[in-house]
Amino acid sequence: MEWEAPALVLSAAPYGESSAIIHLLTEEHGVFHGLARGGTARANRALWQPGNLVSAVWRGRLADQLGALSAELVHGSAARLLSAPLALAMLASACAVADGSLPEREPCPRIFHLLTQFLSLISLDPEMASWGGMAALLRWEASLLTDLGYGMDLSACAVTGQADGLVWVSPRTGRAVCDSGAGAWKARLLRLPLLFLDPSDPGTVRDWRDGLRLTGHFLARDAFGQHHRGLPPARLRLVDLVDALPDEDTAGGG
């Protein structure tokens, strides 16, 4: 059995003296695991960094075995972000969330392409994209939830049926709620930042915090909770980093 395809590196764990177990995300094959011999050697260490886009080859005698991986670097996102802590934290969080939530070996073309676009965005101009990239990351998490079957319904208010003025989300049902429809339940609802409804909105720092709390609730309860796992440490570190950012009227100024 053998396949060759573009792939995103999601994680790399040492195995034996110099090899590594690699988790990849591909369009056609979904999340795929393989053994990269010499993967932790100095010459190959940079290749298997999470977030890198590679041209991967997987080979195995049987379809269900671990198999052997080799690859060539196409775009090295990780190395471009070493001086941009926020962007690097976003990369680490996205890769860890995808690695821990997506089912193994099931095609996920939309999530693969959206994640590839997001990683390209933040790596091509790390300083500026750290700010616009946060909104893109949150929208990617919302798309991931949808593809996993846990998507939020932001089309109309669950109480009044109106399609505008949506500012809350029910933590139980994932349906949007307008301010007038929230009533006495407002304190129990999750705030819905405009960036989830307007693709051009970069959001404010407060929006990022609220957005991370919103998608984090459903990721923790559904995508990870259904498998009795907590959110990845990289996702929790991103929340801490955003919580420590100074408040701004708008995030776009950096």
Side-chain angles (χ1 to χ4, degrees):
M1 300 293 295
E2 178 177 338
W3 57 256
E4 180 176 358
L8 292 169
V9 179
L10 298 181
S11 65
Y15 183 82
E17 292 187 5
S18 62
S19 297
I21 301 295
I22 309 296
H23 292 189
L24 298 175
L25 176 63
T26 69
E27 176 182 6
E28 182 180 352
H29 308 286
V31 174
F32 225 89
H33 303 170
L35 177 68
R37 300 195 181 279
T40 59
R42 180 176 299 180
N44 297 321
R45 205 171 298 157
L47 172 66
W48 300 115
Q49 291 298 309
N52 283 353
L53 178 65
V54 300
S55 178
V57 178
W58 180 92
R59 296 183 177 91
R61 286 199 310 151
L62 301 173
D64 59 353
Q65 70 176 160
L66 181 64
L69 269 176
S70 60
E72 294 183 359
L73 183 65
V74 176
H75 178 77
S77 297
R80 297 169 180 260
L81 301 179
L82 295 179
S83 60
L86 180 58
L88 188 61
M90 289 191 288
L91 176 150
S93 178
C95 290
V97 167
D99 194 16
S101 64
L102 289 169
E104 190 177 349
R105 300 192 178 194
E106 290 190 14
C108 50
R110 188 169 80 111
I111 292 303
F112 172 78
H113 285 296
L114 288 175
L115 184 55
T116 301
Q117 291 168 10
F118 164 72
L119 294 174
S120 297
L121 167 69
I122 63 172
S123 63
L124 291 177
D125 191 354
E127 292 300 330
M128 290 302 296
S130 293
W131 301 92
M134 269 303 307
L137 173 64
L138 291 168
R139 287 190 284 263
W140 175 80
E141 288 188 341
S143 296
L144 176 70
L145 285 165
T146 297
D147 280 27
L148 290 172
Y150 307 121
M152 297 177 286
D153 182 355
L154 308 181
S155 60
C157 175
V159 179
T160 68
Q162 68 185 64
D164 56 352
L166 305 177
V167 291
W168 305 102
V169 173
S170 166
R172 185 177 66 85
T173 66
R175 296 189 63 186
V177 181
C178 65
D179 203 52
S180 61
W185 300 97
K186 187 178 297 186
R188 301 187 183 186
L189 302 178
L190 297 166
R191 182 172 174 265
L192 173 63
L194 180 60
L195 62 87
F196 287 100
L197 304 172
D198 181 359
S200 66
D201 188 340
T204 65
V205 173
R206 183 197 173 196
D207 290 335
W208 299 352
R209 294 183 188 128
D210 289 335
L212 287 167
R213 183 179 175 222
L214 176 62
T215 53
H217 169 79
F218 295 106
L219 285 170
R221 188 191 71 180
D222 300 322
F224 287 86
Q226 295 290 338
H227 302 285
H228 307 289
R229 296 196 298 264
L231 287 176
R235 179 54 159 71
L236 301 178
R237 287 193 293 270
L238 176 61
V239 171
D240 289 341
L241 186 58
V242 173
D243 283 344
L245 291 174
D247 290 316
E248 301 284 350
D249 290 335
T250 59

